[in-house]
Amino acid sequence: MSKDVFQRKEVKYLLTLEQYETIRQGLVGHMQPDMYGRSLIQSVYLDTPDRSIAVRYDGKQVYKEKLRVRRYIPANSNVVPAADCDAVFVELKKKFKGITYKRRVHVNEGVAGALMLADKSYLDALDAFMPARSVLSEPARTAKSVQIASELVATRDRYEGLCPSMLINAVRVAWEPVGASDANIHSDETAGIGDVRITFDESIEYADLQHISREAAAQDFGSCFEVPSHRLLEDGLVLMEVKVPGAYPMWLSELLSFAKAVKSSYTKYGNAVRAHLSGTEAAA
């Protein structure tokens, strides 16, 4: 079962291929790629027409937030039910004093469009677009999911004219502690027990979505994922993100020091907006 609530530090590093290989080798014995393997991660960021969310998130404010709809396309298709190939996560990501809080609901594209762009209530969107036979239907209607959706709606309502802003594509491999899948280490009951996760993103690309009207996206949200994209992160670089609830394990700190990995303030959405406005690609 996927986890829907996260509270953790998320620290980014821009790595050369040599640094990436050093760190990847150093993880062996401590961590392993998760069951999804090499996956395509697609994120549609929602924003106001003047991109006020991007401007705020890219600044030095103590509190930041962003809204996005994300889908995962794992190389191992056996881990995704065929009946829910249009499954997505609608996410609210907040950052306060260095701690990231993420809350999300697992629904389909129809619910995502109706909820975030057509101003429907969560339950009305479920009734209209998620049939009871869907494997997502029951977990989407739990009290926990309804409560998370109320936060999404409250955030949505603070931004007038919310619309698709930018598509970000990335090829990702996520690493988890050895044995995490067998121990269900990411469940609510075991959160914090070796709960370190590291992701490596390559081939990061972006596409401007402001040409897609709010109404069109509400009716066919899946079209936002199909827009041709342009290279954002230059060849030879890998974006690593360490996600941990507290302090780094000593072995990880030593590994990052040995690889000479340096923390980065790189944001995919912020850099994509700047690249689009400047007409450049492959921005490091």
Side-chain angles (χ1 to χ4, degrees), residues 147-218:
Q147 192 274 328
I148 293 173
S150 70
E151 296 183 38
L152 287 164
V153 169
T155 306
R156 173 200 73 186
D157 290 345
R158 288 205 303 272
Y159 296 103
E160 185 176 354
L162 200 67
C163 58
S165 176
M166 194 71 67
L167 169 67
I168 303 293
N169 295 327
V171 175
R172 170 172 294 181
V173 177
W175 288 61
E176 63 186 6
V178 170
S181 296
D182 296 335
N184 194 25
I185 204 166
H186 295 299
S187 69
D188 291 340
E189 291 78 10
T190 58
I193 303 176
D195 200 12
V196 178
R197 191 167 178 84
I198 299 177
T199 59
F200 296 97
D201 289 354
E202 300 177 81
S203 302
I204 301 175
E205 299 185 345
Y206 75 97
D208 176 55
L209 298 179
Q210 285 198 326
H211 64 281
I212 301 178
S213 72
R214 172 185 170 92
E215 293 75 21

Side-chain angles (χ1 to χ4, degrees), residues 62-271:
V62 173
Y63 173 80
K64 307 174 184 180
E65 65 186 7
K66 55 187 174 184
L67 290 162
R68 69 187 179 202
V69 178
R70 171 170 284 185
R71 76 176 182 182
Y72 296 80
I73 306 177
N76 179 9
S77 59
N78 293 329
V79 301
V80 179
D84 288 287
C85 59
D86 66 341
V88 296
F89 289 98
V90 183
E91 300 182 347
L92 168 61
K93 191 171 185 179
K94 301 183 285 186
K95 193 168 186 178
F96 181 66
K97 292 186 176 180
I99 303 298
T100 297
Y101 305 85
K102 186 168 75 172
R103 300 172 74 77
R104 65 186 188 181
V105 291
H106 196 188
V107 294
N108 60 26
E109 294 169 358
V111 173
L115 178 67
M116 302 309 294
L117 302 175
D119 296 333
K120 282 188 176 291
S121 72
Y122 181 61
L123 293 179
D124 284 348
L126 290 179
D127 290 341
F129 294 98
M130 184 173 286
R133 65 180 180 276
S134 168
V135 297
L136 296 176
S137 182
E138 185 175 345
R141 295 175 184 273
T142 63
K144 181 179 179 181
S145 291
V146 172
Q147 192 274 328
I148 293 173
S150 70
E151 296 183 38
L152 287 164
V153 169
T155 306
R156 173 200 73 186
D157 290 345
R158 288 205 303 272
Y159 296 103
E160 185 176 354
L162 200 67
C163 58
S165 176
M166 194 71 67
L167 169 67
I168 303 293
N169 295 327
V171 175
R172 170 172 294 181
V173 177
W175 288 61
E176 63 186 6
V178 170
S181 296
D182 296 335
N184 194 25
I185 204 166
H186 295 299
S187 69
D188 291 340
E189 291 78 10
T190 58
I193 303 176
D195 200 12
V196 178
R197 191 167 178 84
I198 299 177
T199 59
F200 296 97
D201 289 354
E202 300 177 81
S203 302
I204 301 175
E205 299 185 345
Y206 75 97
D208 176 55
L209 298 179
Q210 285 198 326
H211 64 281
I212 301 178
S213 72
R214 172 185 170 92
E215 293 75 21
Q219 294 178 12
D220 180 14
F221 198 89
S223 64
C224 296
F225 293 113
E226 306 303 327
V227 178
S229 54
H230 310 282
R231 181 58 59 90
L232 179 62
L233 188 65
E234 67 183 44
D235 291 334
L237 292 177
V238 177
L239 181 63
M240 179 180 75
E241 193 163 4
V242 177
K243 306 173 183 184
V244 59
Y248 285 15
M250 182 60 70
W251 65 264
L252 180 57
S253 295
E254 292 175 349
L255 175 60
L256 297 178
S257 177
F258 177 74
K260 296 181 172 58
V262 178
K263 294 179 183 179
S264 172
S265 60
Y266 187 97
T267 67
K268 292 189 284 286
Y269 179 39
N271 276 355

